[in-house]
Amino acid sequence: MEELQEAIAQNPEAVAGFIERLDLTNQLLDVVSLGTRAMDDEMVVNLVGMVGRLGELLEPASHENTIAGLDKLLNAVAEASDPDNPPDKVGLMGLMKAVNDPDVQKALGFVIKLAKTLGKKLD
Amino acid sequence: MKRRIIVVGGGSGGTIVANRLAGHLSSEIRSQAVEVTVVNETSYQLYKPLTLYMAFGKNEESEAERPVRELLNEDLPFIQDRGVGLDLDSKELELASGSSLSYDYLVLATGSKLALGRVPGLKESSHHFYGPKGSIKLREELAEFEEGHLVVSVVGVPHMCPVAPMEFSFIADSWFRERGLRDDVKITYTFPGEEMIGKKNIVEWATPLLEERDINLESGFEVTEVDPDGEVLKSSGGEEMEFDLLVSIPPHRGDDLVTGADLGEGEWIETDKHTLEAKRAEDVYAIGDATDLSTSMAGSVAHYQSGVVAERLASQVRGEVPTARYDGKTICFIDGVDGDKATFLEFNYGEEPDIPPESKLIHWAKHSYNKAYWLTAKGLL
């Protein structure tokens, strides 16, 4: 106790700073306490299961080629889904015409390569 | 022979119990030995806690609603219809469309509804935050309210989320303070009982905080009538209170399906507090606001009860003795102290909650949970 009083007398600012941090620590502990009280067994098991499955997915998803490919794909999905600029309906003639478009040719090449690779992995 | 479980209600309780059943009985459902069907009047679910924040422009209606179909496990059929009649002997649920569904087990998660018409003048003169329409109208009023008497009045008990009027008072206080209008706006919070809420520890925590913020507390004020022209609240004790803006917590009522089927003394289902079985019917469970239990009308109650009912039903379907029991578990946040601080409480039947000091971190936890809620509805969290 005496040691504590001496420490406070010698360096009151540091002790005040420490108490302030203790307040924050207590608030953090309250949030941890909230978590433990709110969760039940099933919620914990579900959460861990979901995180686990996400982890499994994240491993291949974090490959730099996958990220680059998915980034392009997702941006293309967003652009093609723009409600202000909806896609035209395309019949057989339209499809034939589209095949001559160099962008469509590139995308088709990607889809065919994807199908080939996927086919090998499905064996 | 296929066993049929029907869940009536697509709110928190209904979707969680159905999705938990889909987890417990996945192989039985895939092999078509069991079918779990959800029936709900609307195609979407409203996450009710957000409507409080909508009144202050903090959340939008689009954030509070999701299609029930999207929330349910894909193996569960969803029927958008209203249950209008129950034959408890032949185990049939009659739908508003004219068709009927037979069941082996029934879960009633029909919730509660507002009954503003029960108090003369209430509908014409008060605002509320218990639905997107009401909250958006209230938001417009609050945005223009610069001086006068704001009365937050608990007119009906029990009501959804017992701490919501307290939260509204705290948020309104900081809302007017931030706008430099607090000196011109008097806030009064009335409630019909001697205490604002049934838990002593909450009263002891909240009273000084409300008083320090100049929120007047008026206990024992049982509203019997509102004069819309004179803007006066009248109580059963003959008191009158003038207001410039009235935010009421209206009386609540049970679903007509429950009342019509005589499942309880009044409009709430007489329910076993531990097994959650309806006392007046065989193979019928009740969860959430629809029950007559003394637990709060809170989403967390429906959530924890759903887990118990799903476990019990899974056991029964498999011919095992159901053993899961509900112990009254309730978790509530009390948000909005100074606008950005919150605390939480957790208790079981007969317990008084411990209340940690209000903090910004708990406020953030509450708002994080609001975002993550849809995982709960899907039965994932």
Side-chain angles (χ1 to χ4, degrees), chain B residues 326-379:
Chain B
Y326 177 60
D327 54 9
K329 185 171 171 118
T330 307
I331 288 241
C332 277
F333 285 94
I334 308 179
D335 192 22
V337 183
D338 298 330
D340 63 356
K341 291 195 203 88
T343 186
F344 74 95
L345 20 129
E346 185 248 345
F347 52 91
N348 293 339
Y349 285 132
E351 290 178 1
E352 276 289 336
D354 294 326
I355 306 177
E358 60 283 0
S359 73
K360 218 170 210 180
L361 290 182
I362 300 177
H363 166 77
W364 287 339
K366 158 74 178 164
H367 286 265
S368 305
Y369 180 71
N370 280 350
K371 279 279 172 203
Y373 162 73
W374 301 111
L375 290 176
T376 298
K378 288 182 175 186

Side-chain angles (χ1 to χ4, degrees), chain A residues 85-108:
Chain A
N85 186 19
D88 299 323
K89 281 186 183 168
V90 174
L92 192 58
M93 291 302 285
L95 186 64
M96 305 257 283
K97 208 174 145 194
V99 170
N100 289 322
D101 184 311
D103 288 332
V104 173
Q105 287 174 342
K106 262 191 279 177
L108 276 176

Side-chain angles (χ1 to χ4, degrees), chain A residues 38-83:
Chain A
M39 302 286 268
D40 59 21
D41 290 359
E42 195 164 0
M43 288 162 78
V44 173
V45 170
N46 281 347
L47 182 65
V48 173
M50 191 164 55
V51 171
R53 288 194 297 276
L54 270 177
E56 285 175 46
L57 263 181
L58 282 177
E59 200 266 320
S62 61
H63 190 285
E64 62 183 291
N65 290 350
T66 317
I67 292 171
L70 281 177
D71 186 47
K72 285 178 194 143
L73 187 67
L74 292 173
N75 278 313
V77 170
E79 211 171 299
S81 309
D82 180 2

Side-chain angles (χ1 to χ4, degrees), chain B residues 157 189 191-200 203-204 207 219-220:
Chain B
V157 178
Y189 168 16
F191 37 92
E194 279 316 301
E195 302 291 1
M196 67 184 98
I197 204 159
K199 295 281 175 197
K200 185 173 70 65
V203 175
E204 284 174 6
T207 305
S219 63

Side-chain angles (χ1 to χ4, degrees), chain B residues 11-319:
Chain B
S12 296
T15 48
I16 299 169
V17 80
N19 284 326
R20 293 269 179 109
L21 277 167
H24 289 306
L25 298 170
S26 58
S27 55
E28 289 88 345
I29 289 172
R30 292 250 158 90
S31 67
Q32 301 198 338
V34 173
E35 185 176 74
V36 181
T37 304
V38 177
V39 177
N40 194 54
E41 191 175 351
T42 58
S43 62
Y44 61 87
Q45 178 181 120
L46 171 69
Y47 179 49
K48 292 175 183 174
L50 293 192
T51 60
L52 166 69
Y53 302 103
M54 268 184 222
F56 295 96
K58 307 252 186 217
N59 282 106
E60 295 301 324
E61 189 175 355
S62 57
E63 294 171 273
E65 289 174 355
R66 287 265 183 115
V68 177
R69 180 63 276 172
E70 193 185 282
L71 296 173
L72 289 175
N73 178 296
E74 60 185 7
D75 293 330
L76 307 180
F78 169 60
I79 298 173
Q80 189 192 335
D81 209 329
R82 185 162 54 91
V84 291
L86 262 179
D87 187 328
L88 298 168
D89 297 322
S90 62
K91 294 188 167 181
E92 290 223 340
L93 170 72
E94 191 191 320
L95 300 174
S97 60
S99 57
S100 63
L101 301 170
S102 58
Y103 64 83
D104 294 290
Y105 300 99
L106 182 71
V107 181
L108 293 171
T110 45
S112 60
K113 294 176 170 62
L114 302 183
L116 284 116
R118 287 188 180 172
V119 174
L122 188 65
K123 198 173 176 185
E124 298 86 328
S125 44
S126 81
H127 290 271
H128 68 81
F129 52 86
Y130 278 92
K133 274 189 193 156
S135 295
I136 290 164
K137 242 175 105 186
L138 175 55
R139 173 157 80 195
E140 287 160 11
E141 285 293 321
L142 283 168
E144 287 178 7
F145 194 72
E146 295 188 337
E147 59 177 349
H149 191 195
L150 164 64
V151 178
V152 183
S153 181
V154 178
V155 178
V157 178
H159 60 80
M160 286 180 257
C161 189
V163 298
M166 199 185 290
E167 292 181 297
F168 184 89
S169 303
F170 279 131
I171 301 174
D173 164 68
S174 64
W175 159 278
F176 290 117
R177 243 172 247 284
E178 279 166 19
R179 284 159 182 75
L181 300 170
R182 189 62 181 90
D183 290 340
D184 303 316
V185 176
K186 183 181 166 192
I187 303 178
T188 301
Y189 168 16
T190 81
F191 37 92
E194 279 316 301
E195 302 291 1
M196 67 184 98
I197 204 159
K199 295 281 175 197
K200 185 173 70 65
N201 288 5
I202 306 177
V203 175
E204 284 174 6
W205 171 83
T207 305
L209 289 176
L210 290 161
E211 285 173 350
E212 281 161 22
R213 284 155 185 78
D214 287 327
I215 296 164
N216 309 304
L217 301 175
E218 200 68 43
S219 63
F221 197 96
E222 192 188 349
V223 178
T224 50
E225 194 187 336
V226 190
D227 172 4
D229 301 323
E231 298 193 318
V232 177
L233 273 175
K234 296 178 181 178
S235 81
S236 57
E239 297 158 286
E240 295 198 344
M241 185 181 289
E242 289 186 5
F243 61 84
D244 297 296
L245 177 59
L246 174 62
V247 178
S248 75
I249 312 312
H252 286 38
R253 66 175 178 86
D255 195 275
D256 293 337
L257 181 68
V258 172
T259 325
D262 193 28
L263 282 162
E265 207 57 62
E267 52 203 335
W268 311 112
I269 304 165
E270 218 176 305
T271 308
D272 184 287
K273 67 192 280 195
H274 292 300
T275 66
L276 303 170
E277 285 164 329
K279 288 184 179 172
R280 297 190 180 188
E282 287 284 306
D283 300 321
V284 177
Y285 284 94
I287 51 173
D289 296 359
T291 72
D292 69 342
L293 299 177
S294 61
T295 46
S296 304
M297 283 185 170
S300 70
V301 170
H303 175 186
Y304 295 119
Q305 289 176 339
S306 300
V308 171
V309 169
E311 256 188 68
R312 292 187 67 87
L313 275 172
S315 302
Q316 282 176 282
V317 165
R318 293 189 186 120

